[in-house]
Amino acid sequence: MGTDGTLDEALERLYRTGPEFGGRLSNHGPMAVESMVRRGHARQVHRWLDLYMRRLDDRPRGACPIPAVGWRSALGDPRRLGDWLAFFDREVTEQPWRAVLEVWWPRLVPGIAAGATHGVIRTGHAVHALLAHEDGPRLAELGQALGYWAARWQQVPSAAPSGTSGPASALAGVPRIADQSADIDHRLGQLTGLSGWPAALAALRPAADAGQARDLLAGLTTAAAVRYLPNAHGSPVMLIHSATAPMAVLRTLPALPSTQWVVSLHAAWAASAAVTAAYAPAAPLPRHALPTAHRSAEETFALAVRHQDEHVIKLADTCLDVHRRTGCPDALTAVTRAIELIDEP
């Protein structure tokens, strides 16, 4: 990826676009192209972008610079999006990017729900690219990702894990909100009064150290990816983020001090559980009603690229990592299910 140049060319094209378009839809371009290049589909990137970028808005301009001290009042203020983008442009230019991440990750990760979790997901893709190769376009993309996250910073009610359940059992125990209508803000707003929510979050077993946090986070990505298969009909697009958000955190861990890994697990668990509570169907489909994977990992990702939907591409990227780590065929079948349910763009 470092010598191909396609990713950098794509990021330079996307730098002129805003993190959102059409209201509050997230710009998935940087995330999708990073996945495509890394998975060996660089040749399809520019053709895919030619179509996708027609939907995007221009990058917003800043109006009032955010100071290095006194930034808290602007956190989570989407009216300051242009200001936050300019702020992090400077941060990643004037300091080593790992130093910027070390300072800002613990400030941002409590607001992991930002942009329906797209703030952290975009950051995870940017960090993954930088860990492979550092250059100007990738540094700029990290700045754009962090700026988007800061402007849309949003918390969900959380509780530290203190139970005995593994990720799969804990995720299965998450209750559903009563009113699954309207947008994600309306749905997440119901978590505070949701019976069983604190207990469900606490059910996950705690991590005693950084290594256990990493392992639990990997288990969470696996559980969410596999659960997507029988539950995707609840919300084929939104439930993808129950897996892609924790995967983004998992991919960021190598760039963070190990002292930040446990709190990163807590945030990722809260995000995945929140998306599950907000969008899971009343009941999963039985296994016999679902497809069975007969494709390799490479064939599965190629099918996602041919489908062209950005959410399908991101899910495929996450599911391939899960399959590589676990060998679980349902991780690949989850991609097939997404392709069945999500219309081609």
Side-chain angles (χ1 to χ4, degrees):
M1 184 166 69
T3 59
D4 185 279
T6 302
L7 178 59
D8 292 345
E9 293 168 1
L11 293 178
E12 287 175 338
R13 292 179 65 184
L14 286 160
Y15 181 77
R16 299 186 295 272
T17 65
E20 294 180 335
F21 65 97
R24 287 188 57 180
L25 298 176
S26 294
N27 178 354
H28 289 67
M31 302 174 258
V33 299
E34 191 275 329
S35 299
M36 291 167 68
V37 172
R38 179 163 36 80
R39 298 288 181 188
H41 289 263
R43 280 202 266 180
Q44 288 95 338
V45 162
H46 284 298
R47 185 168 62 241
W48 184 87
L49 270 183
D50 288 341
L51 297 174
Y52 185 72
M53 288 182 65
R54 296 174 186 174
R55 301 156 57 185
L56 304 181
D57 294 334
D58 292 339
R59 171 181 163 160
R61 295 183 179 182
C64 181
I66 293 172
V69 178
W71 51 267
R72 291 185 184 277
S73 63
L75 193 64
D77 185 350
R79 297 169 300 179
R80 305 294 301 277
L81 176 56
D83 298 325
W84 277 115
L85 296 177
F87 176 86
F88 279 106
D89 262 350
R90 295 191 302 271
E91 290 290 292
V92 299
T93 300
E94 297 172 359
Q95 303 179 59
W97 69 269
R98 288 174 182 261
V100 175
L101 195 67
E102 181 177 349
V103 169
W104 279 95
W105 183 265
R107 295 173 177 176
L108 295 177
V109 80
I112 196 169
T117 72
H118 288 105
V120 70
I121 296 170
R122 186 165 174 176
T123 298
H125 281 276
V127 168
H128 208 194
L130 281 166
L131 288 171
H133 175 69
E134 295 183 25
D135 60 25
R138 300 178 194 212
L139 289 171
E141 169 53 21
L142 177 62
Q144 298 298 284
L146 293 174
Y148 179 38
W149 190 353
R152 281 294 182 188
W153 191 89
Q154 182 181 12
Q155 293 179 293
V156 293
S158 59
S162 59
T164 59
S165 297
S169 296
L171 202 57
V174 171
R176 298 170 68 245
I177 60 169
D179 181 13
Q180 287 197 348
S181 65
D183 60 18
I184 190 169
D185 288 345
H186 172 73
R187 296 176 189 232
L188 296 183
Q190 299 175 59
L191 294 176
T192 300
L194 180 60
S195 176
W197 175 250
L201 285 184
L204 183 69
R205 66 174 179 266
D209 53 35
Q212 288 187 13
R214 180 194 58 227
D215 293 345
L216 282 166
L217 192 49
L220 176 59
T221 64
T222 298
V226 172
R227 276 182 60 83
Y228 179 86
L229 177 59
N231 291 283
H233 60 286
S235 180
V237 169
M238 291 305 299
L239 283 171
I240 285 173
H241 306 97
S242 66
T244 54
M247 178 60 79
V249 177
L250 181 63
R251 289 173 172 170
T252 305
L253 292 187
L256 296 171
S258 60
T259 53
Q260 295 183 10
W261 289 15
V262 171
V263 70
S264 298
L265 165 67
H266 294 175
W269 163 233
S272 186
V275 172
T276 299
Y279 291 97
L285 292 180
R287 189 63 184 85
H288 65 78
L290 298 167
T292 301
H294 295 294
R295 299 180 181 89
S296 69
E298 293 75 17
E299 291 169 336
T300 299
F301 194 82
L303 190 64
V305 172
R306 287 197 297 273
H307 183 274
Q308 294 194 322
D309 181 82
E310 61 272 25
H311 307 94
V312 172
I313 292 171
K314 288 193 319 174
L315 177 66
D317 181 43
T318 285
C319 286
L320 260 65
D321 271 10
V322 169
H323 181 263
R324 175 183 51 79
R325 187 172 62 245
T326 67
C328 177
D330 279 355
L332 300 182
T333 312
V335 182
T336 302
R337 182 63 173 154
I339 291 170
E340 289 180 350
L341 295 175
I342 298 174
D343 293 336
E344 292 186 25

